[in-house]
Amino acid sequence: MTQITLQNTQTRQKEVLEPIKSGEVSMYVCGPTVYDRAHLGNARPVIIFDTLFRLLRHVYGEDKVTYVRNFTDVDDKINARAAQTGQSIREITDGTIGLYLDDMDAVGAMHPTHMPRATEYIQPMVDMSADLIEKGFAYEAKGHVLFAVESYADYGKFSGRSIDDMIAGSRVEVAPYKRNPMDFVLWKPSDADTPGWDSPWGKGRPGWHIECSAMAHELLGESFDIHGGGNDLMFPHHENEIAQSKCVGHEFANIWIHNEMLQVEGKKMSKSLGNFFTVRDLLDQGVPGEVIRFVMLSTHYRKPMDWTETKRAEAERTLRGWHAKIEGVTAADAPNADVIEALADDLNTHKAIQALHDIARNGDPAVLKRSAQLLGLLSDEMDDWVAPSFGGGLDHEKIMDVESWLRSARNAAKLSGDFSEVDRLRSDARDAGLEVQMGKDTVELKPTSAFDADRLHSIKRGEA
Ligand SMILES: [Zn+2]
């Protein structure tokens, strides 16, 4: 069996994945708070953990991997959106979940095994909070239940901070009912305008962190193999998940994986810089989901990912070339070994894509197709964009004509030493948005995103 190594944030070491339950893998990834469309940065962890999910399924078997990704559907941002728009909370959360799944489907992300909604797991959150009070790690104050960070000696260890650093470096909510400003909310009271559930502490709602601890426990048990998320969640969210779960006596996650953040053209994506866009914005501009996925995977998950127009154009060209190569080809039974090896080495998607380039150049198209599918690329569901985006103007016959004219012009030029006709045809083809690849005995023209059907049709064979 392929050995998978992963960089464990908790131990700061690359570790061999050794599943708790032999032959089966369990993974939890923090999901979105559902009040708005996913921005491009939100798609990065989804694509990364989807690729890990695919690798795990390949290595352990499709029915041996349990992947949980939650929806946070109780949150003050959702309440604010409801008040602002006049929609009900349920309309907002149901609607946003639908849009989110549409967008993630478009970038080729498989649905996780379980997608629990926080509001369906309120009782386990109440139970866990009560258990923490009983064990002396939490306390009730003015209708709130707070986790007492000083009761857990390892608090801060995961993210590598001391309590003093955390107080100094973060905007903690100072409230008179907190014993320590770092104490965080497990439960808080709700008024008539905010959603609430009955609890031993009155009508209220859970804090954010307790959701993941409770849902991971319900769906994966007291311990599981992998916990993932963006590195912006390390503190306080993951630090708090660990504190809660460990203090009720759960082992919780063995390996923690964090992805780096996304930038746009070298800058942090933000509304104030005007470079903020959603996945849907890109799709609406005609950027195929497969291209978004390719660009995301071309950078290793532990490096900052820079979304650039240049990368988008290159990815589109590459994928068009690959799709042309695999047209009508049935995928091979097994992916290429170099691709598997790269992915098994801390999910090195950058290296895996380099291996795919090698196969595309020199290898079997059937193996290219099967290997790319391990990264969620070149799937039969994702190839729709390749032809239609040429607006129906992609004339394969004419492209083949121009290829053959170029071949014979070159043969003639080899004898005469006059390459002007070769140069003219090549330049006309480029003007029509075709990439010209001339091998020793071959000529290949590939449509790029700049393809222009009118210009293609105006190309004429010169006088021989
Ligand atoms: Zn979480």
Side-chain angles (χ1 to χ4, degrees), residues 28 30 70 208 212 227 237-238 241:
Y28 187 94
C30 297
N70 69 296
W208 172 35
C212 291
H227 191 311
H237 186 53
H238 292 160
E241 284 185 19

Side-chain angles (χ1 to χ4, degrees), residues 170-226:
S170 67
R171 285 172 289 166
V172 291
E173 195 191 342
V174 182
Y177 50 80
K178 284 187 181 180
R179 290 180 194 163
N180 179 311
M182 289 306 297
D183 291 352
F184 59 89
V185 169
L186 301 175
W187 189 262
K188 58 186 166 187
S190 292
D191 59 22
D193 297 328
T194 39
W197 290 263
D198 290 330
S199 82
W201 320 288
K203 188 171 173 263
R205 59 196 192 280
W208 172 35
H209 318 298
I210 192 76
E211 284 179 18
C212 291
S213 287
M215 290 188 281
H217 179 235
E218 289 295 309
L219 293 163
L220 298 174
E222 293 191 0
S223 60
F224 53 95
D225 299 305
I226 299 167

Side-chain angles (χ1 to χ4, degrees), residues 119-138:
T119 51
E120 289 163 357
Y121 290 83
I122 299 291
Q123 194 54 47
M125 298 177 206
V126 169
D127 293 345
M128 199 177 245
S129 304
D131 196 11
L132 285 165
I133 294 177
E134 202 183 303
K135 292 188 161 105
F137 296 104

